[in-house]
Amino acid sequence: DLDPWLVEGDYKVVANLPYYAANPITRNFLESTRKPSAMVIMVQREVANDMAAKPGDMSLLSLAVQIYSTAEHVVDAPPECFNPPPKVHSTVIKLTPTKETRIRFESAEDFFQIARCGFKSPRKQLHNSLSDGLFIPLEDARSLVEQTGFETSRRPSTLSLEDWQILYDVWVKA
């Protein structure tokens, strides 16, 4: 039998995560069936910026974090705050998990399949990334993007969570 504190009640995560493992650790907490009520974590500054990015600068990490939580910058910690000073800048970020995912999907695996494909070549136009990632003809990918009502010239980083919802819904219908 597990101790009650392991299976009941709220909990928070406060951690200085190892930078090489910050992404999978964060996603495991946010995607678990028993989420923390808050996560206050120190990560490499670029990772924190990525987690809290707005449309225009979004990445697969931004999308993954923001589907499950809101991200809020707390404070930067420059290298001179540590002894010995690291070669990177750090940031403390607060993630507050949402009760419901901010994108509706039948299967997280299916949603992230199209998201990974969309970000496969993030500097390419969305239809090119989808064609490469989904292994479908370019015309089919262009048609898929056109069905969303988006400009076919859009890049994956410009899509908001609402836009990803539209793309996912169109893809499921197709």
Side-chain angles (χ1 to χ4, degrees):
D1 277 341
L2 292 174
D3 286 331
W5 72 270
L6 290 173
V7 292
E8 297 172 5
D10 286 347
Y11 72 99
K12 294 179 171 102
V13 174
V14 179
N16 180 4
L17 296 177
Y19 293 166
Y20 67 89
N23 295 0
I25 291 170
T26 301
R27 286 199 53 194
N28 280 337
F29 276 107
L30 293 178
E31 294 175 19
S32 71
T33 54
R34 193 164 165 265
K35 297 170 183 44
S37 58
M39 293 181 70
V40 179
I41 55 177
M42 183 180 299
V43 294
Q44 190 169 338
R45 179 176 57 191
E46 292 77 13
V47 172
N49 290 344
D50 202 9
M51 288 177 175
K54 302 286 182 228
D57 294 316
M58 298 281 283
S59 69
L60 185 57
L61 178 61
S62 315
L63 186 61
V65 167
Q66 293 177 35
I67 284 173
Y68 296 103
S69 69
T70 56
E72 177 184 351
H73 176 272
V74 176
V75 67
D76 290 322
E80 54 270 13
C81 290
F82 304 92
N83 189 14
K87 291 182 170 50
V88 297
H89 288 256
S90 302
T91 294
V92 176
I93 189 166
K94 179 180 180 186
L95 305 176
T96 306
T98 55
K99 291 195 184 318
E100 300 290 325
T101 59
R102 293 171 68 197
I103 291 182
R104 296 171 318 282
F105 43 70
E106 298 263 335
S107 154
E109 188 177 319
D110 286 349
F111 173 78
F112 281 108
Q113 177 187 357
I114 193 163
R116 273 190 303 278
C117 292
F119 282 110
K120 185 172 194 297
S121 303
R123 299 204 191 295
K124 287 186 175 183
Q125 293 177 350
L126 182 60
H127 65 276
N128 287 322
S129 291
L130 291 172
S131 174
D132 291 349
L134 294 172
F135 304 105
I136 60 175
L138 188 57
E139 282 308 311
D140 292 350
R142 185 176 284 118
S143 173
L144 181 69
V145 174
E146 286 171 350
Q147 289 174 53
T148 65
F150 304 157
E151 290 291 324
T152 57
S153 61
R154 290 200 52 191
R155 305 213 186 282
S157 63
T158 67
L159 270 60
S160 66
L161 271 80
E162 294 78 16
D163 294 338
W164 279 104
Q165 180 73 67
I166 292 166
L167 179 61
Y168 173 73
D169 291 344
V170 167
W171 180 63
V172 166
K173 281 184 200 166

